[in-house]
Amino acid sequence: MASTTSFDVPSSVLIVGSGAFGLSTAWALCRNPQYRNTSITVVDRNSFPSTDGSSVDSSRIIRPDYAAAPYARLATIAQNRWRTDFAPEHYHETGLCLTASGPEQRYVGDSLANVQNIGLDKIEVLDSAQDIGRVCGLGRSEDDACGSTGYVNRSSGWADAEGAMVWLRNEVDKFNRVDFVVAPVKKLLFDFEKNTVSGATLSDGSELRADLTILAAGAWSASLIDLRGICKSTGQVVCYKPISAEEEAAIASRPVILNLSNALFMIPPSRGKLKIARHGHGYLNPTTIPHPESQDPKETITVSLPYTHVTDPNLIIPAEGRRACNAFLHSIHPSLAVPSRPFTTTRICWYTDTRDGDFLITYHPKYKGLFVATGGSGHGFKFLPVIGDSILECVEGRTPEEFKERWRWPEERVPEELWAGDGSRGGPVGMILEEEFRKSESKL
Ligand SMILES: Cc1cc2nc3c(=O)[nH]c(=O)nc-3n(C[C@H](O)[C@H](O)[C@H](O)COP(=O)(O)OP(=O)(O)OC[C@H]3O[C@@H](n4cnc5c(N)ncnc54)[C@H](O)[C@@H]3O)c2cc1C
């Protein structure tokens, strides 16, 4: 079995979750000759692609624009793959305009310094809302909507996330090595005397056993191990509307605009669809569940867990979220936000947030045989071409030096209200999903 000091190649690996973290890990295992005799199973509660997983959507921003230099460097490596041999048909290099009008300007400044250090030369500093409006082709530009300062990095872009996930699944299938199982994992297979995990029990009571279990269940990970004070699931609103071919042509090649202060962003339209979303503090959905690490079924914990269109096919996002997205669109492209053209589809997409925005990629400190790969914190997708290789490095005890502190299991659990975040989140704080539904006169 694996340990962080000496590494024995496991004879079987079970990956829970076929999102970006899980699927990329399965791909890395298939490509690495060390694992040629290892059996690989991936289990997901949904058939692929998992429509309420955070890795499956019309678009995700691909950027090296980070305030933290290690992520800027890793994203640069990933982006070179997007440009060349990793699903390049799903990657669009239209640029990213990163802006702010409040304290989030610090993140923008640090990010600018990092991309300048990397040596990117397609950068223009923008000193006013008017400059931002010019670069992004906005119909209107006001400080509080599009930000008052920022920069455009024309080397950034976005990818069709669902298309890229399907592309990667095809690549994995070509190896004919991975057994994909569609079933919800009910509980990990703990041995509380030996403190080991040896696979998972599915909802029908059957078991999937493995030497090494990699938990990559995204925002649902907190239902399978106790992540209180380490990860929390936050719901982010996403709104879509159809637009005409002429409207699309006018802005499709413009940069993504992301204003960190109001947390709202617009990804250029594609295939007749425009998307507005919020990269904010999100909604919490406190849910009381049996303690995932307890033998006593009466012992419970309360954690925020995803509530999605799979949980509730009639789910409509809270009115405040729809209003915020519409107000943003109205402030930057008024002609697209007229009352006769409402958003036709909405979604709550769930981040797996950590206290500082770092991923959690590490062995579980207590249970031998359990490795955790989660904590995407709203920015994990762009690493799809490389995150599986990074996860394997960590599995083998070779965590890259610059991520050792960032990706490890924290020494202590910190109350969520004290989390500092990574400085990239603005917008409303402390929203509870059920309360917002109630305010919207919707039912939870
Ligand atoms: C609205 C939104 C916008 C984002 N924008 C960006 C962006 O622009 N750029 C960027 O880089 N990143 C972005 N992200 C973040 C990025 O999408 C995530 O970090 C990344 O997709 C996380 O991947 P994952 O594999 O951890 O989770 P997921 O993709 O959610 O995968 C987890 C999988 O586990 C499965 N699962 C859960 N529980 C169980 C169970 N009990 N049994 C079996 N299977 C289970 C789920 O069905 C799911 O398929 C965004 C995220 C959201 C929500």
Side-chain angles (χ1 to χ4, degrees):
M1 238 328 299
S3 86
T4 46
T5 45
S6 69
F7 179 71
D8 299 325
V9 175
S11 62
S12 49
V13 175
L14 171 66
I15 300 171
V16 181
S18 69
F21 281 48
L23 189 64
S24 186
T25 305
W27 188 48
L29 284 166
C30 291
R31 287 169 19 251
N32 188 324
Q34 238 196 133
Y35 299 93
R36 62 185 165 278
N37 296 320
T38 300
S39 77
I40 309 161
T41 305
V42 175
V43 60
D44 201 290
R45 58 190 245 292
N46 286 333
S47 55
F48 188 86
S50 174
T51 59
D52 65 349
S54 58
S55 308
V56 175
D57 194 358
S58 56
S59 51
R60 289 282 178 266
I61 303 168
I62 310 294
R63 57 167 170 116
D65 305 79
Y66 272 90
Y71 288 105
R73 284 191 282 272
L74 189 61
T76 302
I77 296 169
Q79 200 178 15
N80 284 334
R81 302 292 306 275
W82 284 106
R83 287 191 186 112
T84 53
D85 61 354
F86 189 93
E89 65 272 34
H90 294 294
Y91 173 65
H92 309 272
E93 199 155 288
T94 59
L96 165 68
C97 185
L98 190 65
T99 73
S101 52
E104 298 75 18
Q105 278 166 322
R106 182 169 178 182
Y107 187 102
V108 177
D110 290 348
S111 173
L112 174 61
N114 278 328
V115 287
Q116 283 171 332
N117 279 342
I118 289 168
L120 296 177
D121 55 3
K122 293 190 188 167
I123 290 167
E124 185 186 346
V125 175
L126 306 168
D127 292 322
S128 68
Q130 290 66 37
D131 273 356
I132 294 165
R134 168 182 57 78
V135 159
C136 296
L138 303 182
R140 189 194 290 167
S141 46
E142 292 162 359
D143 285 14
D144 55 344
C146 68
S148 52
T149 56
Y151 72 93
V152 61
N153 177 1
R154 297 191 190 279
S155 308
S156 291
W158 63 275
D160 170 347
E162 178 167 353
M165 287 294 288
V166 171
W167 181 95
L168 180 56
R169 171 64 189 261
N170 285 337
E171 291 301 301
V172 174
D173 284 344
K174 283 181 196 164
F175 288 93
N176 205 16
R177 289 271 321 273
V178 181
D179 186 15
F180 283 95
V181 176
V182 178
V185 166
K186 192 171 173 212
K187 198 169 170 96
L188 298 181
L189 268 170
F190 293 101
D191 180 327
F192 293 109
E193 272 167 26
K194 295 188 187 139
N195 283 334
T196 60
V197 164
S198 56
T201 308
L202 307 182
S203 56
D204 65 0
S206 60
E207 293 177 355
L208 294 171
R209 290 196 168 262
D211 280 359
L212 178 65
T213 301
I214 299 180
L215 179 62
W220 292 264
S221 302
S223 65
L224 294 171
I225 56 173
D226 183 358
L227 286 172
R228 286 174 297 175
I230 297 173
C231 290
K232 72 172 170 189
S233 305
T234 63
Q236 309 288 335
V237 289
V238 188
C239 298
Y240 313 82
K241 72 166 64 179
I243 64 169
S244 71
E246 295 73 38
E247 289 167 335
E248 178 169 327
I251 49 175
S253 57
R254 297 289 189 160
V256 173
I257 175 160
L258 167 55
N259 176 359
L260 296 181
S261 292
N262 61 16
L264 290 154
F265 64 97
M266 186 185 93
I267 296 195
S270 156
R271 284 184 244 147
K273 197 152 82 168
L274 179 76
K275 170 174 150 183
I276 305 283
R278 191 162 60 192
H279 171 70
H281 300 281
Y283 305 119
L284 290 179
N285 181 35
T287 310
T288 300
I289 55 166
H291 193 308
E293 295 175 30
S294 174
Q295 287 166 290
D296 176 1
K298 290 197 191 114
E299 192 183 347
T300 59
I301 58 171
T302 299
V303 286
S304 179
L305 286 177
Y307 188 83
T308 73
H309 59 270
V310 170
T311 332
D312 173 3
N314 299 318
L315 172 65
I316 298 171
I317 64 167
E320 76 71 36
R322 188 185 284 262
R323 272 198 305 270
C325 289
N326 195 56
F328 177 61
L329 183 58
H330 188 260
S331 321
I332 58 172
H333 288 297
S335 62
L336 300 178
V338 291
S340 58
R341 297 179 66 183
F343 294 117
T344 49
T345 315
T346 63
R347 172 179 176 189
I348 304 177
C349 186
W350 291 82
Y351 286 1
T352 316
D353 278 328
T354 59
R355 68 190 66 174
D356 40 21
D358 283 316
F359 303 156
L360 182 69
I361 303 180
T362 179
Y363 282 95
H364 193 284
K366 182 169 173 190
Y367 302 108
K368 202 165 174 240
L370 176 59
F371 190 89
V372 182
T374 188
S377 299
H379 66 92
F381 187 82
K382 66 187 65 62
F383 301 102
L384 184 63
V386 297
I387 196 68
D389 294 319
S390 296
I391 289 170
L392 271 200
E393 284 181 75
C394 300
V395 164
E396 293 167 6
R398 298 185 293 109
T399 306
E401 202 53 49
E402 57 187 2
F403 288 113
K404 271 191 176 149
E405 272 301 301
R406 291 179 178 274
W407 291 355
R408 70 184 177 86
W409 190 274
E411 256 157 37
E412 55 179 23
R413 294 172 189 259
V414 175
E416 289 167 10
E417 58 278 13
L418 301 180
W419 291 9
D422 65 357
S424 75
R425 308 282 179 88
V429 182
M431 289 185 293
I432 305 293
L433 185 60
E434 193 173 5
E435 286 171 11
E436 295 306 323
F437 275 135
R438 227 179 275 130
K439 286 186 210 161
S440 322
E441 295 175 344
S442 302
K443 247 180 29 204
L444 183 62

